[in-house]
Amino acid sequence: MTQGVPGHTPEEDKGGLRTALAGLTTRGRSFLAAGIAAAICAYVLGQSDLLRVGLLLAVLPLVCATVLYRTRYRVAGSRRLAPGRVPAGSEARVHLRMDNVSRLPTGLLMLQDRVPYVLGPRPRFVLDRVEAGGRREVSYRVRSDLRGRYPLGPLQLRLTDPFGLCELTRSFSTYDTLTVIPRVEPLPPVRLSGEAKGYGDGRQRALALAGEDDVIPRGYRHGDDLRRVHWRLTARYGELMVRREEQPQRSRCTVFLDTRGLAFQGAGPDSAFEWAVSGAASTLVHMLERGFSVRLLTDTGSSVPAEGADGFAGASQESADAAGLMMDTLAVIDHSDGAGLSRAYDVLRGGNEGLLVAFFGDLDEEQATVVAKMRQRSGGAIAFLLDSESWVREGADVPGPLDKSEERLRMLREAGWTALKVPRGAGLADLWRQADRQRTGIGAGSGTEGWS
């Protein structure tokens, strides 16, 4: 983003002398003090030569400060992020460019960019003399293990004179934002039973007519195939009517993320909640790549994207745009204050959701009952249960004395869910394959339709 070069304002002109004097360095203040002292001594002692030396010492820093103040708005800066959206744990490069838009060369420039502490140390650069109309380019890297949106800037520029007597700092007004999204893990293309059919390519065909009597016609449009003209209805309405052709429909997938604060313990990049967020992101990307219409749903009842039919990212919306919108949401998502999942259940029971992939934290008996009901409106349902206590407990692989996760898994499986417990440090790709094997074992004798 290019950052403009502002001009002088009346308020700045009134305070120009004060600003210029405030920019004097220790060397400049020493020169000024020595010059004033020499001038006083020369006046007292009547030494004209000492007076000339004192005037030179006192005037030199004032002249440098005045010239530097008058030329400080003649430099333009720009910043470019590559890329602007980066997964957690990956690096992004920030490119800075300084342009000297004046007709005079600059002195020594010290460039500094403001960055949040989680992205690393504050970058500083020293630029040598920039010729008139010239430019200098520098770059630095930023990295964060924590997802979020981080402002970069504003850019600060320190200008100094050749003698180092004055130093002025100028801050640009604009800044850019780096979006750190959750880590995305590639998922294998498995074939799980019980999902809405059509998962193979993400599409299924819906016939617009079932016979001559059930046809849903429309008026003829230029370019329509004449073989689709329905002559009986054309005679009835007195205008050309054509049969509707088969309409492709994209299979649906809802990715549910439990964000209740009471359902997760611990914090940081290795916490159970961050694993759930990363798992939801990985699933969203995987299903979009498979051609699904996908949406992200949370326990608050809010879904992303909100536009389109039933809130899904449908065929009218590019998959890349939909993925970017949902990733930006996951980049800043945090714990909710809710205690239940009823609002999400109200959204799910409104229609056939196709495939439902859910990431849950700790579930009590009441919430497990609500989750069991969610299965009724979906063609297939996969649940990943995170026992957050085991993620923060020493010896996490050893079940605690009051471990109720197995009971919750049993309840969900009896309701038709493909439910898996997520141990500390587990990989989603391995669990994805386990879900495939579990569903295949459950549905092998039921004749349910599979998806790949």
Side-chain angles (χ1 to χ4, degrees):
M1 178 180 295
T2 301
Q3 311 192 37
V5 184
H8 289 280
T9 63
E11 292 77 7
E12 288 173 333
D13 289 334
K14 292 179 181 179
L17 180 60
R18 187 184 306 110
T19 303
L21 292 178
L24 291 176
T25 62
T26 302
R27 181 185 299 177
R29 296 176 186 273
S30 300
F31 268 60
L32 182 61
I36 294 175
I40 294 175
C41 292
Y43 177 77
V44 173
L45 301 176
Q47 297 290 330
S48 58
D49 293 336
L50 183 60
L51 178 61
R52 286 192 289 269
V53 173
L55 291 177
L56 176 62
L57 293 176
V59 170
L60 184 58
L62 297 178
V63 171
C64 291
T66 303
V67 172
L68 191 62
Y69 175 77
R70 290 298 177 181
T71 60
R72 70 189 182 99
Y73 290 110
R74 300 181 181 274
V75 178
S78 63
R79 182 191 298 104
R80 179 173 58 87
L81 303 181
R85 184 188 290 119
V86 62
S90 300
E91 291 184 344
R93 184 169 289 274
V94 183
H95 300 269
L96 303 177
R97 191 182 76 180
M98 303 304 300
D99 295 278
N100 182 11
V101 297
S102 66
R103 297 181 180 180
L104 297 175
T106 67
L108 189 67
L109 302 179
M110 287 178 287
L111 193 63
Q112 177 177 278
D113 205 8
R114 291 185 178 180
V115 299
Y117 72 94
V118 296
L119 297 182
R122 181 171 296 183
R124 294 180 176 88
F125 304 93
V126 177
L127 305 180
D128 293 332
R129 177 179 177 272
V130 182
E131 64 279 4
R135 69 175 54 172
R136 296 291 185 271
E137 295 184 2
V138 294
S139 65
Y140 63 94
R141 293 177 295 180
V142 291
R143 179 182 180 275
S144 174
D145 292 327
L146 300 175
R147 55 185 176 82
R149 292 173 61 87
Y150 301 102
L152 300 179
L155 194 63
Q156 288 185 330
L157 187 66
R158 289 184 177 181
L159 297 91
T160 61
D161 64 280
F163 303 103
L165 301 178
C166 185
E167 180 180 281
L168 295 181
T169 301
R170 174 207 174 172
S171 293
F172 292 88
S173 59
T174 58
Y175 63 91
D176 293 279
T177 301
L178 175 68
T179 303
V180 181
I181 63 176
R183 294 183 179 91
V184 175
E185 182 179 354
L187 300 181
V190 300
R191 182 179 183 85
L192 297 174
S193 303
E195 186 189 349
K197 64 180 180 179
Y199 177 74
D201 58 359
R203 291 173 173 83
Q204 52 184 332
R205 308 295 295 185
L207 294 178
L209 54 94
E212 290 292 322
D213 297 330
D214 297 327
V215 80
I216 303 177
R218 63 170 175 82
Y220 176 83
R221 298 173 184 170
H222 179 72
D224 285 339
D225 191 347
L226 292 178
R227 289 175 296 183
R228 292 171 48 212
V229 174
H230 195 288
W231 297 108
R232 182 181 300 177
L233 292 178
T234 297
R236 179 185 302 176
Y237 292 105
E239 61 176 330
L240 283 177
M241 304 295 292
V242 297
R243 298 181 177 90
R244 291 182 185 271
E245 62 185 355
E246 294 180 350
Q247 300 295 326
Q249 294 181 351
R250 295 162 66 94
S251 298
R252 292 179 173 181
C253 175
T254 296
V255 178
F256 176 81
L257 177 62
D258 185 4
T259 63
R260 296 172 299 141
L262 54 82
F264 294 93
Q265 300 180 29
D270 296 328
S271 64
F273 181 69
E274 291 302 321
W275 191 99
V277 174
S278 177
S282 302
T283 304
L284 287 169
V285 172
H286 177 73
M287 304 309 289
L288 283 171
E289 291 175 348
R290 305 290 298 210
F292 270 70
S293 293
V294 182
R295 73 171 172 181
L296 171 66
L297 179 66
T298 66
D299 57 285
T300 62
S302 60
S303 62
V304 181
E307 300 83 6
D310 300 327
F312 286 85
S316 61
Q317 192 170 3
E318 294 293 336
S319 295
D321 295 337
L325 180 60
M326 288 183 280
M327 286 298 171
D328 288 345
T329 302
L330 289 176
V332 297
I333 200 167
D334 202 355
H335 293 295
S336 67
D337 297 329
L341 304 172
S342 58
R343 283 183 286 184
Y345 171 68
D346 292 338
V347 175
L348 291 173
R349 70 178 180 179
N352 190 349
E353 301 303 317
L355 176 65
L356 175 60
V357 182
F359 296 85
F360 296 106
D362 297 330
L363 297 175
D364 55 24
E365 185 174 357
E366 179 182 356
Q367 300 311 318
T369 303
V370 175
V371 172
K373 295 179 181 179
M374 293 181 180
R375 173 65 178 87
Q376 301 173 1
R377 302 299 299 176
S378 60
I382 307 172
F384 298 96
L385 273 67
L386 292 92
D387 181 11
S388 61
E389 183 180 355
S390 66
W391 284 65
V392 298
R393 189 175 57 231
E394 293 293 337
D397 295 336
V398 180
L402 299 178
D403 188 2
K404 299 180 180 180
S405 58
E406 294 299 331
E407 176 65 19
R408 304 295 179 254
L409 287 172
R410 184 188 61 80
M411 291 180 60
L412 298 189
R413 288 169 181 168
E414 290 179 352
W417 284 83
T418 300
L420 295 93
K421 181 180 179 181
V422 181
R424 182 183 178 89
L428 181 59
D430 295 333
L431 294 174
W432 198 255
R433 295 188 182 94
Q434 291 181 28
D436 174 31
R437 293 192 293 269
Q438 182 182 132
R439 175 57 68 178
T440 302
I442 293 176
S446 61
T448 54
E449 200 163 26
W451 53 278
S452 60

